[in-house]
Amino acid sequence: MAEELEKILSQLTQPDNAVIQQATAQLKQAFKDPAIIPALCAVMSGSQNPQIRQSAAVMLRLRVKKHWKKISPDDRESLKAVVLQVFMQETEHTVQHSLSQLCAVMVKHETPDRWPALLQLLNESTKSSNPHDRRVGLLLLNKVMESNPEPFKPHYCQLLQLFSTVLQDHNNPTALYYCILTLTAITAYTGTKEMNQMRSIIPSLMVALQHLIKADQGQASEAMEVLNELMESEVSIIVSHVADIVRFCLEVGSDTTLSDSLRVKALSCIAFLIKLKSKTVLKQKLLNPILQSIFPVLNAAPPPGEQDPEDEEDDSGEGTDNDNPKHCAAQIIDTMALHMPPEILFKQLMPLTQASLASENPYERKGGLMCLAVLAEGCADHIRTKMLSSVLQTVCQCLSDSNQVVRSASLFALGQFSEHLQPEVSKYCAELMPLLLGYLSSLNQAKVGHVTKAFYALENFMENLGADIEPYLPTLMETMLSALNNAENLKIKELAMSAIGAIANAAKELLVPYFPPVIESLKGFLTATTEEMRSLQTQSLDTLSVLARTIGKDVFSPLAAECVQLGLNLTDAIDDPDLRRCTYSLYSSVSTVSPDCLTPHLTAITTVMLLALKSNEGITAHVEEDKTFVLLDDEDDDDDDDDEDVEVKDADDFLEDEPEADIHDFAGFSVENSYIDEKEDACDALGEIAFSTGAAFQPFLESSFQQVYEMRDFPHEDVRRAAFGAMGQFCRAQHQVWKENPTEANHQALLKLLDVVLPCFVETVRTEQERQVVMAILETMNNVVKSCKEEAFKTPSRLKEISCVILDVLKKKTVCQGGGDEADDEDQQAEYDAMLQEFAGEGIPLVASSVPADTFAPFLNDLLPLLMSKAKSSCTVADRSFSVGTIGEILQALVGVSGGQGVAGRLSNRLLPVLVAGVRDSDPEVRNNSVFGLGCLAMLYTYSPALVVKLMKPIVAASSHVLGHKDVDKETQHTVAVLMKDFAQHHSADFQASVTSLPGEQQATLSAAISAS
């Protein structure tokens, strides 16, 4: 049979389709014969043609992978012997590669200890004095270990000894390469037993990487992944080597003689380290060396005659945006902003930024602007409160720079500021709008790319102006409508359409007069069928969604049904993930305005969205070798199966992480962004539609929930975030349905849903690595508690679970906060870390208003000290404001629940000093929040006058600071004045005693306010 099989295999390599089809049919037949295994072994060991030997190995691997149990024990044993023998005598690298993958799959079924010959071969070859044998042995070891890291755990110590020897073998770069890849594969699985060995191997690993860079930059770039793995491992393994790793990565990242991809890998390692272990970086004083090295990269001019990718123009105005060292340098600063305390970062960063901005060299000025731009997200509070006018002034000056590269960068910076520094940045409307409108007057210029950046800045700025946009509306809309009707370039029309969405977000009903011509244009674009219109159609759908939410129910409702039909027609006619995604947002918007229009189409709409969530379209497996024969492997395959189907099936296996899946058929996999966006938007839309359409959505709730729940582990964080958000919306939707129709069945459905969703939230807050996902879960959990109140706590253990997870976040014990593995300086932290704690803290008053106060009191006792610690004068304004604001909300919540007055009364002695100090704070928001808290304490007065009389002196003293103060709003002042009047009438002696202890000026203020109220 072997000869016949070899003949068929050689026919499959012919360039003739008819021959291939015939050979395929013959092979399918041959695969039904049990003798196929020995025959493939014979071809693999005996054929003179390396391509055929490789094909036989690939087919055996796929056979073994899926049908190991069907292979007879004798055939298994002979296969184990043959494959090792063939492997050692094989001379072609591609065939060795396929054979090593075949061994890897066999180990999956056999475990290392049931295949002693493999262990012996690995042991002998990797220690051989012959460099070729060592290389081949390490290739085999690498493939076997990558597929099966855990079964080899008992051998790790021995392996690490081997690695420390191989890493000294500097003249054998291929051996170094496979050795480092294997180390990468096992790092995540090593434990305390291997800790010392791991630690001692790092210096020789760094030297080996340097040698590998000289030999093969592509392999070196791949091998540097080991550094990321080490950073994710136990902090104690790398802590003593962090400085060396950083120095090495900076050297590689700064070396302009190396390839961009290698430099990008090195700089990305630094960004990753900062994300995971920012405190270690600061403690080891590495911030300054990193900044000193990356600024020259950020400020570098491109080679003569070239431009930076983002400054290049193509016809569409889309800059050719790719990964390059300059982007990575900016990304490092962005990561610092998100993960380091702003005070520490700015002290070292601003001198370098200012020097760049003052430079004669336009690329250095651009670098300075890029630096300011990427700081805006992570250090928003710091910039808003301490330096907004100076950075805006800098950016505005650069808007009129003589060099377009600088002008483009300042537009980008302004767009970032507009997005992240609200609401303060909008106060500069009078200065900024004329500059931006000036840019728009040159819409007809040829350079679409530059106009794109101007639109980015303008959109982000306008979107948050609210009614302040009114004076600019006529000019803006005239410009946009003119572009929609007259511009020849489709990209300009797309930008104008997007801008109308941003204008609508600010103007809301003020846009009504312009609505008819906008809708006219939209309909024209949305009914076009040509491919070139696709981008403009997608944008038109987005803008239509915004209009649905903003223009007002009366104006939009008459169009709602037509919009839904339009969306359905588009997705029927055109298969495009971006277009589908925008229809989901449109349905979602319509559901908030006119849910009835959606009801008849819910079957069609949910079907499309659930298919999008299930689909593996856009997932590309990076297949390492020829897959021509995959289809022959499975007897169940239909004749018309083709390679593509199998590839998708394997990618599917990979995603679902089924035990059968052999991840290492691929070097990895990637998902196109548009398919990720589609899944994210499908989750968001399903959640909102379920909530808006209520009872009509009931038949689709279970299937939608199941599919969304599956997405909670999706590899991409935006999809996970959206899935958790939708799960929360489903709970709120079910609660709403039960409220409107309180049957036992609806109640049980709600409790069942909460029993799945809330434990899932609590668990994920603890274990999720991405801070943004955790923030979203906390926010969603707060919304669920706020809506469902006591229903959320029907399960006895629930109150403890939620209280404890809030406590863990406040104590920084969750995985995304570093799990408490780095020493912490309590008062200084990154703004986003503080924000995460705020989301957790906001849950405390919501829980307090949902359960009896005495039940919650023990948990509240644990939580309050952590809240109060953030009210210290050394804390940031944001922390102080959050602390006193939350304390006020807790008191307000307690007053409304059973037993709450008693609990609030018992807490008042602890809380009053914090609130009184807050009333005298230098920041108006902290003062207002403190007065609110005092007001809530005073509400106890109605329930327990005696208690409040005891607290009268500090309350009167604090009130005297509030009354007549220009920064305290009128409503708050009025509340305080009424309370004082009440004191004066009902407890005049105590009140007089409290007043006379005040300075004369405050006494006068008080009596004036009381008589005025």
Side-chain angles (χ1 to χ4, degrees), residues 463 538 541 569 585 845 945:
E463 197 148 29
T538 305
L541 281 170
N569 294 349
S585 303

Side-chain angles (χ1 to χ4, degrees), residues 343-420:
E343 296 77 9
I344 296 173
L345 176 60
F346 275 66
K347 195 172 170 186
Q348 308 217 12
L349 183 65
M350 284 331 277
L352 293 165
T353 310
Q354 281 154 350
S356 296
L357 289 165
S359 164
E360 292 293 303
N361 178 335
Y363 280 96
E364 293 193 5
R365 297 201 294 282
K366 173 187 172 173
L369 286 162
M370 294 304 282
C371 180
L372 289 177
V374 296
L375 289 168
E377 183 184 4
C379 300
D381 274 344
H382 186 83
I383 298 173
R384 282 185 313 152
T385 52
K386 298 206 164 74
M387 52 196 297
L388 185 57
S389 69
S390 65
V391 293
L392 275 177
Q393 199 177 348
T394 303
V395 169
C396 289
Q397 281 168 352
C398 293
L399 278 174
S400 50
D401 195 280
S402 59
N403 189 301
Q404 183 171 302
V405 162
V406 179
R407 294 198 300 277
S408 284
S410 55
L411 285 167
F412 173 66
L414 187 54
Q416 288 286 100
F417 290 174
S418 304
E419 191 172 338
H420 300 295

Side-chain angles (χ1 to χ4, degrees), residues 246 250 284-294 348:
V246 166
L250 288 173
Q284 298 201 14
K285 302 201 168 14
L286 296 170
L287 176 56
N288 196 41
I290 293 173
L291 290 173
Q292 295 291 348
S293 288
I294 64 170
Q348 308 217 12

Side-chain angles (χ1 to χ4, degrees), residues 63-375:
R63 195 78 190 156
V64 164
K65 179 182 159 185
K66 293 189 175 174
H67 302 293
W68 180 251
K69 293 188 173 73
K70 294 181 188 170
I71 299 172
S72 73
D74 289 350
D75 280 351
R76 285 186 207 171
E77 287 310 312
S78 77
L79 178 56
K80 277 156 67 174
V82 171
V83 70
L84 296 180
Q85 180 196 337
V86 173
F87 181 77
M88 283 320 283
Q89 69 193 32
E90 181 56 66
T91 51
E92 288 288 333
H93 182 72
T94 52
V95 186
Q96 288 168 341
H97 202 265
S98 295
L99 286 164
S100 63
Q101 289 184 312
L102 168 57
C103 290
V105 173
M106 288 163 69
V107 172
K108 248 189 177 29
H109 295 289
E110 277 298 78
T111 74
D113 300 328
R114 299 224 304 267
W115 194 359
L118 171 71
L119 291 175
Q120 190 184 340
L121 174 73
L122 285 170
N123 203 16
E124 286 168 8
S125 59
T126 52
K127 293 177 181 162
S128 161
S129 55
N130 175 340
H132 170 266
D133 286 356
R134 288 204 300 279
R135 275 201 298 275
V136 173
L138 284 158
L139 162 68
L140 180 58
L141 179 68
N142 172 239
K143 293 299 163 200
V144 166
M145 293 289 298
E146 276 185 343
S147 294
N148 312 279
E150 289 202 78
F152 278 88
K153 264 190 164 175
H155 305 278
Y156 278 6
C157 290
Q158 197 184 338
L159 278 168
L160 288 165
Q161 267 171 317
L162 168 71
F163 294 160
S164 60
T165 311
V166 175
L167 288 171
Q168 316 289 335
D169 191 358
H170 297 153
N171 299 325
N172 197 342
T174 310
L176 294 178
Y177 169 66
Y178 284 119
C179 170
I180 297 172
L181 290 193
T182 313
L183 181 60
T184 311
I186 69 166
T187 296
Y189 297 89
T190 53
T192 40
K193 203 167 66 172
E194 296 87 15
M195 196 89 80
N196 287 334
Q197 276 179 290
M198 289 290 286
R199 216 175 281 139
S200 62
I201 218 169
I202 292 178
S204 44
L205 171 67
M206 308 302 289
V207 179
L209 281 168
Q210 280 164 333
H211 281 275
L212 192 51
I213 287 171
K214 289 179 193 141
D216 185 326
Q217 293 189 30
Q219 288 189 338
S221 179
E222 207 184 322
M224 280 176 74
E225 185 58 35
V226 72
L227 299 178
N228 285 359
E229 284 293 332
L230 285 167
M231 288 169 202
E232 285 196 276
S233 65
E234 276 292 325
V235 71
S236 54
I237 292 179
I238 64 155
V239 74
S240 53
H241 301 291
V242 165
D244 295 330
I245 293 175
V246 166
R247 209 165 297 123
F248 167 71
C249 290
L250 288 173
E251 275 170 26
V252 175
S254 306
D255 187 343
T256 52
T257 63
L258 297 174
S259 71
D260 268 7
S261 64
L262 184 60
R263 294 176 65 200
V264 161
K265 186 72 190 170
L267 292 168
S268 305
C269 286
I270 291 178
F272 193 61
L273 175 68
I274 293 165
K275 180 181 173 183
L276 290 179
K277 309 243 185 308
S278 59
K279 296 183 186 84
T280 306
V281 171
L282 291 173
K283 200 187 281 178
Q284 298 201 14
K285 302 201 168 14
L286 296 170
L287 176 56
N288 196 41
I290 293 173
L291 290 173
Q292 295 291 348
S293 288
I294 64 170
F295 252 81
V297 179
L298 185 67
N299 289 345
E306 290 183 33
Q307 287 188 302
D308 285 337
E310 64 274 15
D311 294 322
E312 285 173 4
E313 288 274 351
D314 60 18
D315 294 340
S316 68
E318 303 282 357
T320 51
D321 211 9
N322 59 10
D323 245 353
N324 59 44
K326 190 175 274 203
H327 279 178
C328 283
Q331 189 198 353
I332 289 174
I333 296 171
D334 189 7
T335 311
M336 288 172 168
L338 289 164
H339 294 275
M340 290 179 172
E343 296 77 9
I344 296 173
L345 176 60
F346 275 66
K347 195 172 170 186
Q348 308 217 12
L349 183 65
M350 284 331 277
L352 293 165
T353 310
Q354 281 154 350
S356 296
L357 289 165
S359 164
E360 292 293 303
N361 178 335
Y363 280 96
E364 293 193 5
R365 297 201 294 282
K366 173 187 172 173
L369 286 162
M370 294 304 282
C371 180
L372 289 177
V374 296
L375 289 168

Side-chain angles (χ1 to χ4, degrees), residues 774-775 778 809 816-817 832-840:
V774 176
M775 285 191 207
L778 289 168
V809 176
C816 77
Q817 294 169 296
Y832 265 72
D833 290 329
M835 216 184 295
L836 175 67
Q837 294 185 305
E838 285 183 26
F839 277 115

